[in-house]
């Protein structure tokens, strides 16, 4: 990362035409970058398991005459807002923990903390403010969902340190990032079920897969500074691992859909998503960082397709 990029106030891997740089005053750019508002794929990937679960639960509630369209739409809104707030808080926390590591990695050197555009104290205050927004959103749910949301903080706290003690930090990311797959169900039923647990496991496998592709951008720098990842663990032949991870994702989702009694369109959406996952494995070039980033972002569309299938299945039941 050269000094001109730092002087511009931008970060290395964010699109320069993002709304952050067109709308916000320059003084707020570093905070938007801490929260990753200029890279929305992060909160989108956090959001999708929440929305999958909410839609799957709504589909299960419909035959029981307990489904409420207003409640479903409220849950969707709350999960989207919560994903944005908590993704921002989590990323800010991660940057505080990884401050020194980020200074050694070319892709992350331009972030607000290593570049000196914010202090650690300022970052901590901003993190707390975002977490408070997330808490206000969480308190709109039922008691079980609130408890589950609080429990998830332990997973969020562990994740930044995982790269220091295991080759599988992506597994810990999956545990944290996929937690919404059980919260969407609990928000509807105030209880858990096998379908929600299976969906959670599927989302974990999916997260490990896409974040492994993402990690190949930093593999050489990570090796130099001793940071561990599945990209380093899988080496130059990640395809068998990705086939297993993405295959497990699809298989567990099939079982989750069966357990919840999901309709035809849920499976149709999953088939389309499976083809998209297979495409990623087929074309992946681990030596092309730009392609790795593009394939990582492609998973936002995968999440959307699965959600669309579940919503169509729900609508069909309501007709």
């Amino acid at each position: 990362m050269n000094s001109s990029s730092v002087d511009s106030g931008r970060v290395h891997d964010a699109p320069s035409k993002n709304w952050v740089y067109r709308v916000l005053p320059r003084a707020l750019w570093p905070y938007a970058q801490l929260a990753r508002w200029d890279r929305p794929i992060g909160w989108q990937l956090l959001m999708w398991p929440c929305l999958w679960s909410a839609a799957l639960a709504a589909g299960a509630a419909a035959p029981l005459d307990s489904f409420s369209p207003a409640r479903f739409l409220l849950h969707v809104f709350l999960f989207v807002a919560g994903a944005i707030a908590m993704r921002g808080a989590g990323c800010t926390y991660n940057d505080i923990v990884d401050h020194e590591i980020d200074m050694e990695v070319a892709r992350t050197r331009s972030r607000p903390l290593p570049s000196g555009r914010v202090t650690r104290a300022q970052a901590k205050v901003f993190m707390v403010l975002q977490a408070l927004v997330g808490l206000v959103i969480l308190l709109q749910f039922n008691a079980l969902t609130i408890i589950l949301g609080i429990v998830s903080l332990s997973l969020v706290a562990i994740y930044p340190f995982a790269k220091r003690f295991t080759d599988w930090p992506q597994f810990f990311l999956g545990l944290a990032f996929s937690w919404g797959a059980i919260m969407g169900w609990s928000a509807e039923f105030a209880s858990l079920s096998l379908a929600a647990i299976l969906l959670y496991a599927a989302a974990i496998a999916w997260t490990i897969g896409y974040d492994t592709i993402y990690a190949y951008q930093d593999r050489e720098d990570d090796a130099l500074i001793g940071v561990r990842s599945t990209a380093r663990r899988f080496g130059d032949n990640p395809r068998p691992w990705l086939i297993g991870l993405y295959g497990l994702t699809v298989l567990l989702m099939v079982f989750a859909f069966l357990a919840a009694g999901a309709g035809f369109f849920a499976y149709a959406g999953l088939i389309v998503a499976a083809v998209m996952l297979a495409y990623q494995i087929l074309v992946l070039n681990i030596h092309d960082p730009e392609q790795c980033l593009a394939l990582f972002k492609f998973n936002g569309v995968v999440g959307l397709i699965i959600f669309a299938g579940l919503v169509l299945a729900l609508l069909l039941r309501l007709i």
Side-chain angles (χ1 to χ4, degrees):
M1 185 66 198
N2 57 42
S3 60
S4 63
S5 297
V6 175
D7 293 341
S8 72
R10 311 298 174 88
V11 292
H12 176 72
D13 54 352
S16 60
K17 294 183 180 180
N18 186 272
W19 69 270
V20 163
Y21 305 113
R22 291 183 284 104
V23 176
L24 295 183
R26 190 184 178 97
L28 296 182
W29 289 4
Y31 297 98
Q33 292 161 355
L34 281 173
R36 308 295 196 270
W37 294 341
D38 55 344
R39 281 163 287 178
I41 185 60
W43 65 259
Q44 291 168 5
L45 292 173
L46 178 62
M47 170 190 73
W48 288 127
C50 304
L51 298 193
W52 297 344
S53 185
L56 188 64
L64 304 176
D65 293 327
S66 62
F67 170 72
S68 165
R71 184 172 65 246
F72 173 66
L73 291 175
L74 174 62
H75 287 171
V76 168
F77 170 77
L78 291 174
F79 281 127
V80 172
I84 294 171
M86 293 312 297
R87 170 59 174 164
C91 284
T92 306
Y93 169 69
N94 192 74
D95 281 4
I96 293 169
V97 172
D98 285 347
H99 185 178
E100 293 185 4
I101 290 176
D102 286 346
M103 294 177 71
E104 304 298 326
V105 178
R107 185 178 59 82
T108 58
R109 227 171 264 150
S110 59
R111 288 180 178 176
L113 273 169
S115 66
R117 287 180 285 119
V118 295
T119 66
R120 290 178 64 84
Q122 290 170 330
K124 289 175 182 177
V125 170
F126 184 53
M127 176 187 70
V128 171
L129 290 174
Q130 293 174 92
L132 288 175
V133 172
L135 177 61
V136 170
I137 293 168
L138 180 63
L139 292 176
Q140 308 311 306
F141 291 103
N142 59 44
L144 176 60
T145 308
I146 293 171
I147 292 170
L148 289 172
I150 294 171
V151 169
S152 72
L153 295 178
S154 62
L155 300 173
V156 175
I158 292 170
Y159 165 64
F161 299 98
K163 63 174 72 73
R164 294 162 169 83
F165 63 80
T166 178
D167 290 338
W168 292 83
Q170 280 70 25
F171 171 70
F172 287 88
L173 178 68
L175 291 176
F177 244 57
S178 306
W179 197 252
I182 57 177
M183 290 181 67
W185 189 278
S186 70
E188 177 65 33
F189 289 110
S191 64
L192 295 180
S193 72
L194 177 61
I197 301 301
L198 290 169
L199 188 66
Y200 177 51
I204 292 171
W206 180 54
T207 303
I208 298 171
Y210 69 62
D211 202 62
T212 294
I213 294 173
Y214 183 82
Y216 271 100
Q217 297 177 91
D218 301 328
R219 187 169 61 140
E220 293 181 3
D221 283 338
D222 287 348
L224 288 173
I225 61 178
V227 169
R228 301 162 74 174
S229 70
T230 46
R232 291 188 62 198
R233 175 68 178 82
F234 299 166
D236 291 332
N237 190 27
R239 282 190 173 82
W241 291 95
L242 291 173
I243 290 170
L245 288 164
Y246 281 164
L248 185 61
T249 299
V250 174
L251 183 63
L252 288 170
M253 281 198 179
V254 168
F255 288 144
F257 291 0
L258 288 171
F264 167 77
F265 283 109
Y267 296 97
L270 185 57
I271 290 171
V272 175
V275 172
M276 297 170 75
L277 293 173
Y279 167 78
Q280 294 176 42
I281 299 171
L282 182 65
V283 304
L284 175 63
N285 177 3
I286 61 173
H287 302 294
D288 183 349
E290 291 186 4
Q291 191 221 42
C292 289
L293 180 60
L295 290 177
F296 164 75
K297 291 180 177 180
F298 187 57
N299 282 279
V301 183
V302 173
L304 173 62
I305 293 297
I306 295 171
F307 178 61
L310 288 166
V311 170
L312 286 174
L314 169 63
L315 291 175
L316 188 63
R317 284 191 164 173
L318 297 175
I319 295 176

